[in-house]
Amino acid sequence: MPTTHKTRMLIVGSGPAGLTAAIYGARAGMEPIVVQGLQPGGQLTITTDVENYPGFRDVIQGPWLMQEMQAQAEHVGTRMLWDTITAIEMDGSPFRAIGDSGDIYEGDCLVIATGAQARWLGVPGEAELGGKGVSACATCDGFFYRGKKVVVIGGGNTAVEEALYVTNHASEVVLIHRRDSLRAERILQDRLFAHPKVSILWNKAVDQFVGGDKGLTGVALRDTVTGEISEVPTDGAFVAIGHAPATELFKGKLDLDEAGYIIVEPGTPKTQIAGVFACGDVMDHTYRQAVTAAGTGCMAALDAERFLATRDFAATRETVAG
Ligand code: FAD
Ligand code: NAP
């Protein structure tokens, strides 16, 4: 029998944005519910070292940070629920979300913190060899390539971190990038260039993942400048070309930009619907950091509190007047 869960503040997503909104919302007495989704704790649960989240002199681990954030949210009164939202009604408050479990979640206000998901290349062999040599998470699967050769595709922070991480396991790591310069932070680039196990193939696009029943054997490449075709033998390939915002649920209900990110009022987490707020990577294609996600999560909770206070005050005035 489906259950209806009611709350002043419904939060969809349990990454740094959702959990920070929950911490502030709970402390403001909004008794938030967080619907966690398929990745409790969000993207940082698939990484290892985090050295840029303020407050920690020593390197910390992403999964540990997210466990602590969740514990803090629960400690101040957040209810964490294990479900994934599959449909949402946003005509007005209360907002209704339907979970994969069949349960219904009703919130007087709604905070969307659904983050982003790994992007794939969409070339032949990628789906077929997924889990048989092709992966989007080196920190999850790098262990399987002890003493083997792997390639990492991409040129951003994720690709460089993934490449450096797999050097802990693999004997040889080749970074494949479609241009002749990386967009990763300079400090990461310096570490990559200095690593004896790493080499880089510049100006190369992956046309196909090659392999069969036994798994991946190589990647077919095309030179993006000369058009020359080549093939690099490899045991594993990690696709690290960025993430797409998780906004499928909100198409046609909220304004999205051309890349699919939720459009908010500049400088705020307010969407075009009063009482609906968006925070973290789902509305931010520029910064996409744990600390900025947490920051906008805080802003969403503060604005949610103001929204409810204004609405409650207006309702009380009407009751008194009427
Ligand atoms: P996410 O962390 O993406 O969380 C989204 C949440 O929404 C998840 O809990 C998911 O389960 C939930 N969700 C999605 N859809 C639904 C649904 N339909 N129903 C219910 N829940 C749903 N940033 C740094 O600052 N430092 C780093 O060192 C760093 N390292 C990184 C390493 C990697 C490999 C990656 C991929 C990212 C890294 N980042 C780092 C970026 C950082 O992880 C993100 O900016 C941050 O996690 C965004 O937080 P978020 O809360 O917006 O979303
Ligand atoms: P990103 O910064 O968007 O970089 C994506 C990379 O993949 C780019 O180099 C891009 O190439 C390449 N790419 C995209 N589509 C491609 C395609 N179809 N074929 C081949 N290559 C393709 O994504 P990200 O590295 O995942 O980082 C996302 C965010 O998380 C960033 O804000 C990043 O700073 C943050 N992050 C931070 C840390 C950290 O602080 N330590 C770690 C990881 C991630 P072009 O360069 O040619 O566009």
Side-chain angles (χ1 to χ4, degrees), residues 11-19 34-53 65-66 81 83-87 98 112-118 136-139 157-159 161-162 185 242-243 246-247 249-250 279-284 287-294 296:
I11 301 170
V12 185
S14 55
L19 290 177
V34 173
V35 183
Q36 302 189 68
L38 290 174
Q39 192 178 54
Q43 293 169 61
L44 280 188
T45 59
I46 60 161
T47 192
T48 48
D49 293 356
V50 174
E51 39 183 30
N52 53 12
Y53 197 83
L65 177 63
M66 297 320 299
L81 295 178
D83 206 347
T84 297
I85 301 304
T86 54
I98 293 102
I112 300 168
T114 47
Q117 279 157 14
C137 180
T139 46
N157 275 343
T158 301
E161 283 198 337
E162 301 265 275
E185 284 168 41
H243 286 74
T247 49
L249 277 176
F250 312 108
C279 51
D281 281 14
V282 77
M283 49 70 89
D284 169 19
Y287 302 105
R288 292 179 298 176
Q289 297 293 300
V291 68
T292 49
T296 52

Side-chain angles (χ1 to χ4, degrees), residues 202-258:
W202 299 108
N203 298 321
K204 297 282 185 287
V206 173
D207 272 351
Q208 188 178 349
F209 291 94
V210 182
D213 289 346
K214 289 194 176 153
L216 182 77
T217 54
V219 284
L221 302 178
R222 181 177 32 85
D223 192 292
T224 54
V225 178
T226 64
E228 188 190 339
I229 303 293
S230 58
E231 188 170 324
V232 171
T234 187
D235 302 301
F238 294 100
V239 179
I241 61 165
H243 286 74
T247 49
E248 199 58 38
L249 277 176
F250 312 108
K251 276 187 184 155
K253 295 180 175 154
L254 287 177
D255 290 340
L256 308 179
D257 70 13
E258 65 286 348

Side-chain angles (χ1 to χ4, degrees), residues 184-197:
E185 284 168 41
R186 174 55 57 190
I187 187 171
L188 289 175
Q189 293 197 31
D190 291 346
R191 280 182 210 162
L192 187 82
F193 297 151
H195 202 290
K197 283 187 184 175

Side-chain angles (χ1 to χ4, degrees), residues 145-218:
Y145 298 95
R146 188 167 294 269
K148 296 186 173 173
K149 175 177 174 180
V150 301
V151 301
V152 177
I153 299 130
N157 275 343
T158 301
V160 173
E161 283 198 337
E162 301 265 275
L164 287 169
Y165 176 77
V166 276
T167 59
N168 293 319
H169 303 290
S171 56
E172 186 184 349
V173 179
V174 181
L175 187 89
I176 298 172
H177 184 41
R178 63 183 177 182
R179 292 188 297 118
D180 63 359
S181 64
L182 303 176
R183 69 171 65 228
E185 284 168 41
R186 174 55 57 190
I187 187 171
L188 289 175
Q189 293 197 31
D190 291 346
R191 280 182 210 162
L192 187 82
F193 297 151
H195 202 290
K197 283 187 184 175
V198 176
S199 60
I200 302 178
L201 284 176
W202 299 108
N203 298 321
K204 297 282 185 287
V206 173
D207 272 351
Q208 188 178 349
F209 291 94
V210 182
D213 289 346
K214 289 194 176 153
L216 182 77
T217 54

